[in-house]
């Protein structure tokens, strides 16, 4: 890891550190908002968002590790770590659906709860996009630009399907180990009988399109400042 970091250019190291500092500051804001609400309302209603944020950090941590070592790590390491990344990746954009929990409640102003959940949803989305950028770059370096974008598109569609599994069927990433038969049956049933599960594919395609357009926009915005005058 240290040798791989040493091989990065100074602008790359600076960019990585700046990104981690910004994400860290944004995550700190979310944690403070959640903590303050606990003391304000004397209830732990939104404390579950701390766990959701932790799950969202996992794919970013994995992609950061791969991004820093991809030039040296063998495919036999990249493939299983990449599979674990894909398994946990939907947890990051999943936080967007925590907006379902927003409603007027006693103990805290409605606008405060809106800001709290939006902060967590924003962090989940940015962690997802930052992580996917790393993984797309790895694929693009090995297989080309087109393969990189194909990978990003498939990853976002799969993550949208994962969001459906998590939000509506209440599966978790670790159910692939703890409850594989039920998970496999529910997935296969929706693939074999799509007309009987229109909601599944509606969520998958609509959220997938939204996430893909958002990702492409963020990537384009990131390059605007790099264009020559």
């Amino acid at each position: 890891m240290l040798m791989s970091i040493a091989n990065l250019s100074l602008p790359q190291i600076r960019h990585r550190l700046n990104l981690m500092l910004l994400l860290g500051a944004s995550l700190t804001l979310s944690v403070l908002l959640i903590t303050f609400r606990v003391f304000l309302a004397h209830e732990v209603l939104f404390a579950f968002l701390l766990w959701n944020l932790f799950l969202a950090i996992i794919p970013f941590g994995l992609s950061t590790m791969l991004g820093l070592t991809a030039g040296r790590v063998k495919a036999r390491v990249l493939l299983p770590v990449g599979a674990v990344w894909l398994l946990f990746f939907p947890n990051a954009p999943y936080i967007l659906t925590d907006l379902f929990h927003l409603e007027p409640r006693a103990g805290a102003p409605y606008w405060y709860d809106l800001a709290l959940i939006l902060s967590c949803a924003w962090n989940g989305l940015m962690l997802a996009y930052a992580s996917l950028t790393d993984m797309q770059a790895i694929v693009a370096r090995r297989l080309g630009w087109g393969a990189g974008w194909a990978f990003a598109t498939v990853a976002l569609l799969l993550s949208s399907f994962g969001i459906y599994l998590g939000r509506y069927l209440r599966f978790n990433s670790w159910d692939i180990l703890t409850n594989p038969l039920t998970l496999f049956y529910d997935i296969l049933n929706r693939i074999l009988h799509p007309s009987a599960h229109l909601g599944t594919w509606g969520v998958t395609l609509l959220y997938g399109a939204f996430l893909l357009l958002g990702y492409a926009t963020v990537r384009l915005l990131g390059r605007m400042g790099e264009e020559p005058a």
Side-chain angles (χ1 to χ4, degrees), residues 47-121:
F48 70 91
L49 287 169
L50 294 173
W51 175 248
N52 288 353
L53 288 172
F54 170 75
L55 292 177
I57 292 172
I58 292 176
F60 177 70
L62 291 172
S63 67
T64 297
M65 179 186 70
L66 291 177
L68 293 175
T69 61
R72 292 180 176 274
V73 176
K74 302 295 184 181
R76 63 176 179 270
V77 176
L78 286 175
L79 290 178
V81 175
V84 175
W85 172 86
L86 187 60
L87 185 64
F88 279 91
F89 179 63
N91 290 301
Y94 172 87
I95 304 180
L96 290 172
T97 66
D98 284 324
L99 285 164
F100 287 178
H101 296 289
L102 182 65
E103 60 182 64
R105 291 183 173 90
Y110 185 69
W111 56 263
Y112 184 92
D113 286 346
L114 174 61
L116 186 157
I117 298 178
L118 282 177
S119 172
C120 295

Side-chain angles (χ1 to χ4, degrees), residues 162-214:
I163 288 172
Y164 175 85
L165 293 177
R167 173 54 63 189
Y168 294 99
L169 301 188
R170 308 310 297 167
F171 284 111
N172 297 301
S173 297
W174 47 89
D175 279 317
I176 196 171
L177 297 176
T178 61
N179 193 19
L181 293 180
T182 303
L183 175 62
F184 178 75
Y185 172 80
D186 283 344
I187 292 175
L188 186 63
N189 188 36
R190 281 157 176 76
I191 293 175
L192 295 179
H193 307 287
S195 61
H197 302 282
L198 296 179
T200 301
W201 303 110
V203 170
T204 299
L205 295 176
L206 183 59
Y207 277 60
F210 168 76
L211 291 173
L212 180 59
L213 288 172

